[in-house]
Amino acid sequence: MSIKLCLGTACSISPGLDCSKYEEQYQELYKPLLSNLYNLVELPFTLFMSGPFLEWIEHKHPEFFMLIEEMIARTQLEVLGGGYYTPYFPMISPSDRVGQTELLTTSIRKQFGKRPRGAWLPASAWDPSLISSFCTCGIEYLLMDKVMLETSGFPGVNGLSPVTLEDSGKTVIALPLDNRYKTLERYSPKSFLDALQSSDIDRDEITVIVFFDQTSIPGLFTATEGSSSWIERFLSSISRSNIPIELTSPGKLLKTRIPNHKAYISTGMSPYDYEEIPAPEDIRILARTSVKQHLINSNNIMRLYSKMMYVTILVNQVRGDKARKKTAREEVWRSQYCETFRLLNGIESPESRVLRTLAYKNLLMAEKSTRIRGVFSPSIVCTDFDMDSIKEYLCQLDKVNMYVHTYGGKIFELDVFSVYRNFCDTSIPSSGLFIDHFFSMNALKRLSRGILPDEPDVFSCSIYQEQSIDRNKCEIQLKTNGTFGSLQQPLSLRKQYLFRNEGIQVQYILKNDSPLKLTGVFVTELDFSLINGKKNKQPEIVVYSEDIRKESGVIQAGFDDVSWIQLLDPCSNCTMTIEANENPSVSVFPIILESKTLGSKEKTQKIDGVRVFLYWKVDLSSNYETEKTVFLKLSC
């Protein structure tokens, strides 16, 4: 038995970080990697470099490219292609797949004079429709988790040799990627070598491709005092091995291959890309789990994905201005970075919030590029925006977007183009503006102390029916019905939205449809995303309550007889002012994000936004109604 072993890694930088972080990453990871590879001439290596990484290196460390060019010239290094902004390919449209792949191919060919033949798939995220897109781009092979190959059920396909994949008459070769060794430094050179030699002794030749995580680079390539590095000890062990081990690269590997087995690999992703290494019995299931599972697990990520799909449609509809269309399309591509659509352990973190805020910024810049001055006109579009089989109302004005969902009758997206922010995007799963509630009088004491009631309410989970829509005036009128309390008293709520560039006016008419008196608390909830500004400046709240002006940070508090409340977002310098025709009582709750510092058990807390509850005590006789109007003013 002989073993063909390919080693490599993927180099990328996360968007939204400070330049000093990129420099630190370069000095700790990429510089030691390349300098050691340059000296280890006998070690063939494979490298994937994302587009943003290439851009940053070109501006800050062009000497990096000189070393790569020399190693390519001596056939030591192979550079893979793929998506320019490292997207999960199954999540994006076919045109974006081709566009991102061609953009990275062009960049690599420009820098190194050679076109890549292979592609890197983040998390081995796969869909058979990718074959056609890769063939269009001239990609001949790709790396895929070996578990996805060996669980396909086809004869001879065991994850130890290349496999030919076909779709609609087009083919691409999948090379088995062994993700068990992503953290290769955890193994000693001897234990890794023993694991390779025990792979499958009944075969004449096996293929093992290991792409270790970039965080493993220091542990593999840094030598300690008085001893050699991990990789040097491994190369020394190979020379003493009883079984022939040939170090090679994917491109060289395919030049000497006999005809491959054929297989059909359905939608899936690497089971080792999940937060914890799964138990063996789960591997087959996880390998057949679509990467879109990340969307279903988070309402916030699903909303971002819906926005990306919608803006992609808008960009594709641009005609007659190629430069405008190209600019808009590249902004969409920037929003497709794979880690944006993934939550570690399904929990929001400050890092995930930064990525999502940046993605919304890119998408709003793309959307603005599609609006031609003099042609665009304000409108209300009725469409199934978030792909839940229910139509939403998209009010699109010159300066803002307001998207209304009939589930709960709330605004679930508030885009301000002057600062490219969605102020409804918070870390809580079902955030929005003007979320309606009706509680019993028992909730009044809790709300007055700044505590959320734990009882079920009436309207927040109701489906609102359209009563009328005026596209010229940008008005929508909705209505819903519900029952309240142990007596199941029927009541109804009419809700009229009036949209303007300066803000939103919402009129409520609550009616008691029961023969009995209705007593309770009517509440409307507004959730805002607030982000720290420069020098970690905190969001601020100003409340004019009981004829006294009160200023504070975002803390849990309750106020009575509120004339107005003002929220300041220090990141964008936007101010949101809330008023009502009848002074409400107000409860304020901060939205907190918790995170752990690497290597520490202590949690740090960060303000991510604020939940504002406006509430009024309601006493209605049978067939009587009450009217409340709330104004939200935006100043950016």
Side-chain angles (χ1 to χ4, degrees):
M1 182 185 73
S2 65
I3 300 173
K4 304 276 189 179
L5 176 62
C6 306
L7 296 178
T9 191
C11 300
S12 63
I13 55 177
S14 180
L17 297 180
D18 188 80
C19 288
S20 62
K21 295 289 185 182
Y22 297 146
E23 181 63 32
E24 182 181 325
Q25 200 172 346
Y26 173 79
Q27 296 295 338
E28 292 181 359
L29 303 179
Y30 307 124
K31 185 178 179 180
L33 170 68
L34 212 63
S35 59
N36 278 277
L37 285 176
Y38 185 79
N39 294 325
L40 296 171
V41 182
E42 70 275 21
L43 176 61
F45 202 76
T46 307
L47 205 59
F48 168 78
M49 295 174 286
S50 68
F53 177 82
L54 290 173
E55 290 176 9
W56 187 84
I57 288 291
E58 184 179 13
H59 285 91
K60 298 294 183 179
H61 295 281
E63 70 277 6
F64 192 88
F65 288 155
M66 295 171 61
L67 294 179
I68 289 180
E69 287 176 15
E70 188 171 337
M71 286 190 284
I72 290 175
R74 66 192 189 197
T75 66
Q76 180 191 358
L77 186 69
E78 179 179 355
V79 177
L80 294 181
Y84 194 88
Y85 296 99
T86 54
Y88 286 135
F89 279 106
M91 280 190 179
I92 63 178
S93 66
S95 61
D96 287 349
R97 296 170 187 171
V98 173
Q100 285 222 42
T101 305
E102 285 288 4
L103 187 61
L104 184 58
T105 296
T106 301
S107 182
I108 292 172
R109 186 166 54 184
K110 175 186 172 183
Q111 292 292 347
F112 310 120
K114 195 170 184 179
R115 182 185 181 95
R117 296 169 53 215
W120 165 255
L121 307 182
S124 291
W126 173 252
D127 187 88
S129 62
L130 294 177
I131 296 175
S132 177
S133 299
F134 284 140
C135 287
T136 301
C137 301
I139 296 296
E140 300 173 14
Y141 62 89
L142 50 88
L143 307 186
M144 181 181 291
D145 193 296
K146 68 187 292 287
V147 178
M148 299 170 66
L149 298 175
E150 67 188 15
T151 58
S152 64
F154 285 81
V157 179
N158 52 15
L160 297 173
S161 60
V163 174
T164 299
L165 308 178
E166 179 273 338
D167 185 67
S168 301
K170 297 183 178 181
T171 61
V172 71
I173 297 173
L175 300 177
L177 181 65
D178 200 333
N179 280 316
R180 292 176 299 174
Y181 305 114
K182 285 176 68 174
T183 52
L184 189 56
E185 79 283 3
R186 296 182 181 179
Y187 297 81
S188 67
K190 183 180 183 304
S191 62
F192 177 53
L193 194 61
D194 291 342
L196 292 179
Q197 293 174 345
S198 62
S199 296
D200 194 338
I201 58 175
D202 296 329
R203 296 184 60 85
D204 294 333
E205 180 182 298
I206 65 171
T207 301
V208 179
I209 301 176
V210 175
F211 259 57
F212 47 81
D213 193 88
Q214 58 186 16
T215 57
S216 299
I217 292 172
L220 295 173
F221 288 89
T222 303
T224 57
E225 290 186 14
S227 65
S228 55
S229 66
W230 189 101
I231 201 72
E232 289 172 333
R233 298 198 305 273
F234 176 68
L235 293 175
S236 177
S237 300
I238 287 178
S239 62
R240 301 191 300 269
S241 172
N242 297 326
I243 297 177
I245 297 179
E246 179 186 347
L247 293 171
T248 184
S249 62
K252 293 178 183 177
L253 185 70
L254 292 178
K255 289 180 180 179
T256 59
R257 286 297 306 172
I258 59 175
N260 304 316
H261 289 287
K262 297 178 182 178
Y264 176 84
I265 307 299
S266 59
T267 300
M269 65 180 292
S270 170
Y272 294 102
D273 195 66
Y274 288 79
E275 285 65 54
E276 297 179 359
I277 296 178
E281 58 267 27
D282 295 332
I283 284 182
R284 293 179 64 92
I285 298 173
L286 293 174
R288 292 289 169 267
T289 300
S290 171
V291 71
K292 288 190 175 182
Q293 186 74 28
H294 291 313
L295 304 180
I296 299 172
N297 291 338
S298 169
N299 289 337
N300 292 325
I301 290 180
M302 186 66 202
R303 288 179 185 176
L304 176 62
Y305 174 76
S306 303
K307 181 71 173 181
M308 182 185 75
M309 290 290 103
Y310 181 71
V311 174
T312 298
I313 293 172
L314 295 180
V315 172
N316 290 337
Q317 291 174 346
V318 174
R319 296 288 184 271
D321 192 335
K322 292 184 178 180
R324 181 190 295 270
K325 188 170 186 175
K326 181 176 180 291
T327 300
R329 180 163 285 164
E330 289 184 2
E331 290 295 343
V332 173
W333 293 346
R334 285 188 177 93
S335 73
Q336 295 170 345
Y337 176 58
C338 59
E339 292 300 318
T340 305
F341 295 89
R342 176 185 174 191
L343 297 180
L344 290 176
N345 299 313
I347 300 173
E348 289 275 9
S349 66
E351 293 77 18
S352 66
R353 288 290 294 112
V354 168
L355 289 175
R356 204 161 62 243
T357 300
L358 189 59
Y360 271 113
K361 178 181 179 180
N362 296 137
L363 291 172
L364 291 174
M365 291 175 73
E367 184 176 359
K368 190 172 183 179
S369 296
T370 65
R371 298 183 174 185
I372 302 173
R373 186 174 297 178
V375 176
F376 172 79
S377 60
S379 64
I380 296 179
V381 178
C382 299
T383 185
D384 183 11
F385 173 83
D386 58 0
M387 295 161 279
D388 62 351
S389 301
I390 301 175
K391 285 188 176 181
E392 289 78 45
Y393 302 94
L394 315 184
C395 180
Q396 301 169 329
L397 304 180
D398 295 312
K399 299 179 181 179
V400 293
N401 287 334
M402 295 98 157
Y403 295 174
V404 179
H405 206 299
T406 53
Y407 181 74
K410 65 182 179 182
I411 294 175
F412 63 92
E413 183 167 328
L414 172 61
D415 302 323
V416 179
F417 283 101
S418 60
V419 293
Y420 300 111
R421 277 278 300 280
N422 172 17
F423 283 99
C424 285
D425 179 45
T426 71
S427 55
I428 56 178
S430 299
S431 59
L433 303 178
F434 303 105
I435 305 172
D436 311 320
H437 309 270
F438 194 83
F439 296 115
S440 69
M441 291 299 293
N442 295 331
L444 195 59
K445 293 181 180 179
R446 296 177 64 88
L447 284 168
S448 64
R449 297 198 304 269
I451 303 173
L452 278 175
D454 55 2
E455 61 183 82
D457 65 272
V458 180
F459 299 120
S460 64
C461 298
S462 300
I463 297 293
Y464 283 65
Q465 304 298 323
E466 177 190 321
Q467 297 297 294
S468 65
I469 180 169
D470 190 327
R471 288 176 170 82
N472 294 324
K473 294 182 179 179
C474 293
E475 291 182 1
I476 301 173
Q477 189 173 99
L478 306 172
K479 183 180 179 181
T480 190
N481 298 287
T483 56
F484 171 70
S486 58
L487 298 178
Q488 295 292 291
Q489 291 178 261
L491 67 164
S492 62
L493 180 66
R494 296 202 305 274
K495 187 175 187 178
Q496 184 180 43
Y497 282 106
L498 175 61
F499 302 108
R500 295 291 182 268
N501 281 310
E502 297 75 24
I504 308 163
Q505 174 184 309
V506 183
Q507 182 190 50
Y508 292 102
I509 298 179
L510 177 68
K511 184 178 180 182
N512 177 14
D513 294 319
S514 75
L516 304 175
K517 184 178 180 180
L518 178 69
T519 302
V521 182
F522 177 66
V523 183
T524 182
E525 173 187 350
L526 298 94
D527 306 325
F528 292 97
S529 167
L530 302 177
I531 300 176
N532 291 356
K534 293 181 179 179
K535 298 182 180 179
N536 205 31
K537 184 180 179 182
Q538 299 290 315
E540 298 175 1
I541 295 181
V542 181
V543 181
Y544 196 78
S545 170
E546 299 175 315
D547 296 328
I548 300 173
R549 179 187 172 98
K550 303 173 183 178
E551 298 183 17
S552 70
V554 180
I555 58 174
Q556 185 171 318
F559 306 93
D560 292 321
D561 190 23
V562 175
S563 300
W564 50 264
I565 180 170
Q566 198 171 74
L567 311 173
L568 174 64
D569 176 61
C571 180
S572 62
N573 286 325
C574 281
T575 301
M576 285 74 73
T577 305
I578 307 167
E579 299 179 72
N581 64 337
E582 293 182 24
N583 286 4
S585 297
V586 174
S587 287
V588 176
F589 299 87
I591 300 173
I592 303 294
L593 266 181
E594 290 188 344
S595 63
K596 281 186 179 180
T597 306
L598 192 63
S600 172
K601 293 183 178 180
E602 293 184 3
K603 292 183 178 180
T604 58
Q605 292 188 336
K606 181 180 179 181
I607 298 293
D608 182 52
V610 62
R611 304 176 75 183
V612 180
F613 292 81
L614 282 64
Y615 59 96
W616 300 264
K617 181 181 176 182
V618 173
D619 280 305
L620 285 178
S621 300
S622 176
N623 290 320
Y624 274 68
E625 57 188 31
T626 183
E627 184 265 346
K628 313 291 180 189
T629 303
V630 181
F631 308 91
L632 171 62
K633 298 177 183 177
L634 303 171
S635 177
C636 294

